[in-house]
Amino acid sequence: MSLLTPEELEKLAGAETLFRSPIPVQSLSSDEFMPAPQSPKQREFEARVKDIGARLARHNGMTRRRFFQTAAGMAAAFVAMNETYAKSGAPIYDTSNAEATDLLMAQARADALKDQFVMDMHTHFLREGTPIRAFVAQREAVGKAGWNPLLSGKPQTIDDLMFPNYFKEIFLDSDTKMACISGSYWVDEKFSFLTNQMKFDAREKINKESGARRMFSHAIFTPGWPNWLEKVEEENARLKPDSWKGYTIGDNTNKHLSKFPFRLDDEKIMYPFYEKLVKWSKDKPSLKNVCIHKGLFPPSVEHQFPHLLGFCNVNDVGKAAKDWPQLNFVIYHSAYRWVGGPGATADAAWNQLQRTGRVDWVTDLADIPGQYGVRNVYADLGQIFAHSNMAEPRVAAFMLGAMIKGMGADHVCWGTDSLWTGAPQWQIEALRRMEIPQDLQKRYGLAPMGAADGPVKRAILGENNARLYGVSPAKRAAIATDKVARCKEIYDRHGGDRTNLAYGYVLKKG
């Protein structure tokens, strides 16, 4: 099942048509919206990464495909990104030709950072028996494209988007230490990724078998549905979720069936729910976290569903946060709007930034603490970081700087939306290496983010989520010696390859 029309699907190709680069050379999408065409800058990056990969592969006596599976290959891709997008010689990513050339130097850097605490509170997998099949073709495309060497030559099945492979890609193929299983829902429930019970079961399985608290789980709440508050009460008691997540758009994946959109500041619908969370959080503090999907609503989707626009932006967040200081409002995807579609080129957000000094609706979110005098609004990165790095990394840098400036580095939280984009390691590396270019710092009054293991990036990658979910230093220490840690040590020693993955549909060239 796809939300795209047959005419739209005819214009698309699988991502196997792209060059096999550690960092995608063109913007991608799921089947929720049309992807943007490859921009001139992305074409330039593709040419550069092909050239640098070929040269350094010969230097190291290996094929280009094998070179791009190494830590040096990852560094080389970021060198090509700098050469493409950096202005006046000011790099966006912390990398060098020396690191890209020297396999041992690159691996030493990766080893030095592998124990960094990364807590990804925005991850997904699919349920058994799901009728959803679009993601299977996307994963197979990734293997053919060479982004993930572990998928190459291996036919993909729906099982690859289910629990066993989820565990592998999150905890073995990346530096992620803790994660939250999220979900979404459809009006037709059989198309929902996971039920709340399934998320609970997966959480309990991983934590029991690892011997430590590795996994957290959301429960989805559905305002406006018949007896929804009664269901919330029953599932809170039985499933003990770590936090609750909602979609103000209603049915996000099947928008034409969306019957129950809602606003966070709707006093009649939402405030009774908040009262329950305040009460329950006295025994379980993480239930103060209200996780809300926002954004990912480009003009092309707005054109199809104009009545849903007001539910996708953040104009309902400030009042709700001010009225409920006891709660934390964690806005998923940081409400980023520009995810592609007809008329929205890959650099649409950059063009908007040049015209207005703002990016829809991320800047609006960053302004809320100052406008409303609140400190309980947080930005989850989610799909925003992967997409903006592929489309225009200067936008990614600006958005991080703007959110840090408006909300504080202690209010920006790590989430990757994996497995949809595969193992999250390339996103982790992108944040570790990224710096806000000096021209953007000066023009917009932004502060530098600093070193890969500096206080700002440590906060974003893990410490902020740890605080929100009550992960103490003792709990963090416990996972260093649990069963998962031992499995990863063996996996890395005996053939586990570094995974740099993103996938989906792309527009056909020509």
Side-chain angles (χ1 to χ4, degrees):
M1 182 171 183
S2 173
L3 294 183
L4 302 177
T5 67
E7 292 76 19
E8 289 173 325
L9 289 171
E10 276 295 313
K11 300 176 183 178
L12 301 179
E16 72 271 18
T17 60
L18 299 183
F19 173 67
R20 299 174 179 182
S21 166
I23 301 171
V25 299
Q26 186 170 331
S27 296
L28 318 166
S29 79
S30 68
D31 59 354
E32 296 180 66
F33 54 86
M34 288 287 284
Q38 188 179 39
S39 71
K41 282 292 186 182
Q42 288 174 326
R43 287 194 292 273
E44 180 182 344
F45 167 68
E46 181 175 359
R48 290 182 181 277
V49 79
K50 285 179 178 177
D51 177 67
I52 193 172
R55 287 189 287 106
L56 295 181
R58 288 194 299 269
H59 173 80
N60 286 287
M62 59 180 64
T63 66
R64 182 166 60 183
R65 180 176 181 181
R66 175 66 189 120
F67 173 71
F68 277 140
Q69 296 172 7
T70 69
M74 170 69 88
F78 282 109
V79 168
M81 290 288 281
N82 278 338
E83 292 176 349
T84 302
Y85 291 99
K87 296 177 61 178
S88 304
I92 301 172
Y93 303 101
D94 179 17
T95 188
S96 67
N97 287 317
E99 183 188 356
T101 303
D102 191 327
L103 299 181
L104 294 179
M105 177 189 292
Q107 190 58 51
R109 180 190 181 278
D111 290 342
L113 291 169
K114 68 180 182 180
D115 293 328
Q116 186 177 48
F117 183 67
V118 178
M119 187 171 175
D120 187 342
M121 300 305 280
H122 192 165
T123 68
H124 295 279
F125 65 91
L126 292 181
R127 64 199 292 183
E128 292 185 8
T130 179
I132 301 172
R133 289 294 185 270
F135 292 123
V136 177
Q138 294 172 24
R139 286 183 60 86
E140 192 153 304
V142 170
K144 292 178 182 178
W147 293 335
N148 183 348
L150 300 180
L151 302 183
S152 298
K154 176 183 179 294
Q156 296 297 297
T157 70
I158 196 67
D159 292 338
D160 293 303
L161 282 164
M162 293 183 183
F163 176 76
N165 196 57
Y166 168 87
F167 175 86
K168 170 189 168 293
E169 293 200 345
I170 295 296
F171 291 115
L172 300 184
D173 289 341
S174 88
D175 291 340
T176 303
K177 305 301 186 293
M178 292 182 173
C180 179
I181 303 170
S182 190
S184 71
Y185 63 87
W186 292 36
V187 172
D188 186 346
E189 188 175 272
K190 69 176 180 288
F191 288 101
S192 298
F193 296 151
L194 298 169
T195 66
N196 289 342
Q197 179 71 51
M198 291 171 180
K199 292 190 282 289
F200 166 84
D201 291 343
R203 180 190 73 183
E204 296 304 289
K205 179 178 176 63
I206 289 179
N207 290 341
K208 180 179 179 180
E209 294 187 2
S210 68
R213 184 76 182 280
R214 285 271 180 173
M215 183 57 64
F216 298 75
S217 65
H218 281 147
I220 300 292
F221 64 93
T222 55
W225 287 39
N227 303 315
W228 75 279
L229 279 176
E230 289 83 353
K231 182 179 180 181
V232 163
E233 287 190 344
E234 186 274 328
E235 291 191 327
N236 190 73
R238 179 169 54 87
L239 303 179
K240 298 178 175 57
D242 296 294
S243 58
W244 288 84
K245 179 185 177 185
Y247 287 73
T248 52
I249 193 174
D251 188 330
N252 179 58
T253 312
N254 212 5
K255 296 177 179 65
H256 67 285
L257 296 179
S258 182
K259 299 177 181 178
F260 303 105
F262 64 94
R263 289 178 57 92
L264 294 176
D265 57 4
D266 188 316
E267 297 184 14
K268 181 179 179 180
I269 294 178
M270 292 303 298
Y271 283 28
F273 173 62
Y274 299 154
E275 289 177 0
K276 295 181 186 297
L277 295 185
V278 171
K279 176 183 176 182
W280 295 336
S281 67
K282 294 176 182 177
D283 295 322
K284 189 170 186 176
S286 68
L287 291 179
K288 294 187 296 184
N289 302 323
V290 186
C291 301
I292 299 296
H293 174 101
K294 288 283 192 180
L296 306 191
F297 200 78
S300 59
V301 179
E302 177 190 347
H303 179 73
Q304 291 178 278
F305 309 102
H307 64 291
L308 295 177
L309 177 65
F311 300 99
C312 298
N313 58 33
V314 295
N315 62 11
D316 57 343
V317 176
K319 181 180 184 301
K322 189 165 187 175
D323 288 349
W324 293 91
Q326 312 97 314
L327 302 176
N328 299 316
F329 291 84
V330 187
I331 307 304
Y332 272 38
H333 307 293
S334 304
Y336 180 65
R337 185 182 194 190
W338 297 102
V339 289
T345 60
D347 55 359
W350 175 253
N351 293 336
Q352 182 188 50
L353 177 61
Q354 299 308 292
R355 295 192 312 271
T356 68
R358 303 176 69 83
V359 172
D360 288 348
W361 293 299
V362 177
T363 305
D364 298 324
L365 178 65
D367 287 345
I368 286 174
Q371 290 177 345
Y372 288 86
V374 297
R375 289 288 294 162
N376 59 335
V377 177
Y378 292 78
D380 156 87
L381 295 181
Q383 194 69 249
I384 173 180
F385 195 66
H387 186 277
S388 59
N389 270 273
M390 287 187 288
E392 175 48 81
R394 290 174 294 178
V395 168
F398 167 81
M399 289 191 294
L400 281 169
M403 289 187 288
I404 291 169
K405 179 180 179 180
M407 308 174 78
D410 58 346
H411 280 62
V412 181
C413 301
W414 188 243
T416 64
D417 224 6
S418 301
L419 290 178
W420 309 149
T421 51
Q425 187 62 27
W426 81 273
Q427 294 187 56
I428 294 171
E429 276 297 303
L431 180 60
R432 285 170 172 168
R433 294 176 182 275
M434 177 169 279
E435 184 53 275
I436 302 168
Q438 291 183 359
D439 61 313
L440 295 184
Q441 292 183 36
K442 182 177 180 180
R443 182 174 180 181
Y444 299 107
L446 307 177
M449 292 189 291
D453 59 350
V456 170
K457 292 177 181 176
R458 287 201 310 268
I460 294 172
L461 282 169
E463 292 175 358
N464 295 338
N465 280 329
R467 186 179 68 255
L468 287 174
Y469 285 86
V471 178
S472 66
K475 292 178 181 177
R476 288 168 56 172
I479 65 174
T481 56
D482 71 353
K483 186 176 180 180
V484 174
R486 296 194 296 273
C487 288
K488 182 167 175 55
E489 182 181 358
I490 296 169
Y491 179 82
D492 289 343
R493 191 187 309 135
H494 298 286
D497 286 318
R498 192 176 185 86
T499 302
N500 311 302
L501 175 65
Y503 57 87
Y505 296 118
V506 295
L507 283 176
K508 293 178 181 176
K509 294 183 179 180

